Amino acid sequence: MGLEEKLPSGFILSTVEAAAGWARKNSVWPATFGLACCAIELMATGGPHYDLARFGMERASASPRQADLMIVAGRVSQKMAPVLRQIYDQMAEPKWVISMGVCASSGGMFNNYAIVQGVDHIVPVDIYLPGCPPRPEMLIDAIVKLHDKIQNMKFGAHRAEQIDELELQALRTLPLIDQGASK
Amino acid sequence: MGLTDWLNPVKGFGVTFHTMFKKPVTTNYPEEKRPTAPRFHGRHQLNRWPDGLEKCIGCELCAWACPADAIFVEGADNTDEERFSPGERYGRTYQINYLRCILCGLCIEACPTRALTMTNEYELADSSRESLIYTKEMLLAPLTQGMEQPPHAMRLGETEEDYYRLGRTNG
């Protein structure tokens, strides 16, 4: 990314992390990817009643290069999947993805060959949002949860440490059957 | 063409100016939560009888009714030593995958004992697929006054029929 990535770890980096996290979370520009009925709720969230502008998100970007957050709203068909991936690749780092609604999250009730069974097959998803479609409050709740993630995002050396730690954690996770998934 | 036509664009600004004195309609959602409609379809709940026994009998009708195959139920037999619900069987495993569930409420219609109902809770977003598969412990209603954690014996009657007829005088 930028200069902030090159800083040595320690007191200065933690302060920069906190400041940059605060700045980032207060101006998340969404690249809306409205694909179906969830997009209607997404538009309602942008309207005066719920007012996404309160979170610095009123600029729903039609150009991926100026966007930070991709809100995948609706079922992703196999034909749309490469398009979605291209939009995601065009977005500049740092970028986040909210999978809005059950269809985007797991295919939902469309368990068939035409629909991608979860957008996380194509792009990494930060927040999964259930609901069919989720009401605007649910979307705002997901955004607030994402803000928490953005605020606590690490930089540079801290980031590398965090990635290693998460990787180790993932490797140590027991398969569902050993976690007592039958309960 | 009238003489005052040049005023029309200014009239538009009049509307804008007027709204400055109106109360905003915005709900400040995370701080100020407005109640949903009373019968809003939110997260599910597995109910209990007044003595704490579970209402779910493990019949899997909810799983069969589900159009999205979001519910997984596995029933097991009650024994006299280990009794979770009145009657013969109880739901040993109960999972709802909220990444499949479309909150349509067909499972609630299908439930013969009103064991499964919906709450008005809607803040469900989470960061992994696994955490959105709700298990039985997460779905069961909390124990309230007079309830005891199962397994325990039937307190409110001799047979399950007494439970099903609770509070009814005829039929």
Side-chain angles (χ1 to χ4, degrees):
Chain A
M1 282 172 252
L3 187 64
E4 73 270 17
E5 290 291 303
K6 310 267 184 315
L7 287 169
S9 59
F11 167 72
I12 295 180
L13 186 51
S14 334
T15 317
V16 170
E17 269 170 10
W22 176 82
R24 279 178 177 177
K25 82 169 186 188
N26 281 306
S27 66
V28 183
W29 285 359
T32 57
F33 210 84
L35 293 166
C37 26
C38 280
I40 304 292
E41 296 294 296
L42 182 63
M43 285 182 261
T45 318
H49 209 108
Y50 296 98
D51 201 10
L52 271 182
R54 293 181 291 137
F55 305 95
M57 291 180 68
E58 71 272 37
R59 187 188 170 279
S61 179
S63 66
R65 289 183 207 284
Q66 278 83 40
D68 310 300
L69 166 67
M70 188 178 196
I71 301 179
V72 185
R75 73 276 180 282
V76 184
S77 60
Q78 301 283 0
K79 202 169 183 180
M80 204 63 185
V83 182
L84 187 128
R85 178 70 211 194
Q86 188 168 6
I87 300 280
Y88 179 77
D89 286 340
Q90 284 173 342
M91 283 162 64
E93 287 277 357
K95 51 192 173 186
W96 297 274
V97 177
I98 289 180
S99 163
M100 182 184 180
V102 290
C103 300
S105 300
S106 75
M109 66 183 300
F110 302 111
N111 192 355
N112 59 38
Y113 61 82
I115 304 294
V116 176
Q117 297 297 303
V119 76
D120 51 1
H121 289 291
I122 311 162
V123 293
V125 175
D126 291 284
I127 297 282
Y128 297 87
L129 172 59
C132 186
R135 56 194 280 135
E137 278 105 330
M138 290 169 90
L139 178 61
I140 295 175
D141 175 55
I143 288 166
V144 170
K145 279 169 181 163
L146 182 72
H147 279 178
D148 195 45
K149 263 193 163 181
I150 296 173
Q151 175 70 69
N152 295 317
M153 205 173 150
K154 306 261 189 264
F155 284 174
H158 288 176
R159 178 87 183 140
E161 253 171 56
Q162 194 188 25
I163 288 169
D164 288 345
E165 197 183 303
L166 286 175
E167 185 65 29
L168 199 66
Q169 213 178 352
L171 282 172
R172 283 188 184 154
T173 309
L174 289 173
L176 278 178
I177 189 104
D178 295 327
Q179 287 179 26
S182 61
K183 267 280 167 190
Chain B
M1 283 296 281
L3 277 175
T4 55
D5 273 2
W6 62 274
L7 266 174
N8 287 347
V10 186
K11 276 184 198 161
F13 287 112
V15 175
T16 314
F17 188 74
H18 188 68
T19 42
M20 288 210 298
F21 302 101
K22 279 188 182 164
K23 205 168 166 278
V25 291
T26 310
T27 321
N28 290 315
Y29 161 66
E31 293 88 29
E32 169 202 339
K33 287 175 191 171
R34 287 213 309 209
T36 59
R39 297 179 70 174
F40 173 72
H41 287 192
R43 186 181 70 85
H44 298 78
Q45 189 178 43
L46 283 169
N47 297 314
R48 295 176 190 271
W49 292 106
D51 65 348
L53 285 179
E54 292 156 14
K55 282 189 176 180
C56 178
I57 52 170
C59 66
E60 299 183 24
L61 280 177
C62 47
W64 280 90
C66 185
D69 279 344
I71 308 182
F72 173 67
V73 193
E74 210 173 62
D77 285 336
N78 280 315
T79 55
D80 285 333
E81 298 83 55
E82 225 185 14
R83 175 169 291 287
F84 289 91
S85 72
E88 207 178 315
R89 284 170 65 79
Y90 72 102
R92 188 171 66 86
T93 309
Y94 201 99
Q95 295 175 355
I96 296 182
N97 182 356
Y98 278 99
L99 287 186
R100 286 270 176 203
C101 174
I102 55 170
L103 305 168
C104 61
L106 287 180
C107 44
I108 276 75
E109 284 181 36
C111 187
T113 58
R114 291 291 283 165
L116 192 67
T117 50
M118 280 170 146
T119 62
N120 287 349
E121 192 188 321
Y122 53 79
E123 286 161 338
L124 296 166
D126 214 323
S127 54
S128 75
R129 277 196 181 211
E130 296 85 52
S131 56
L132 278 158
I133 299 174
Y134 279 44
T135 52
K136 193 177 163 186
E137 303 87 75
M138 297 154 96
L139 293 166
L140 264 175
L143 293 160
T144 53
Q145 191 72 40
M147 288 185 180
E148 195 196 326
Q149 179 71 37
H152 63 73
M154 286 191 272
R155 302 269 157 79
L156 303 176
E158 293 295 310
T159 62
E160 68 267 29
E161 209 178 322
D162 297 334
Y163 274 83
Y164 299 147
R165 288 187 189 283
L166 271 182
R168 284 191 204 174
T169 45
N170 56 341

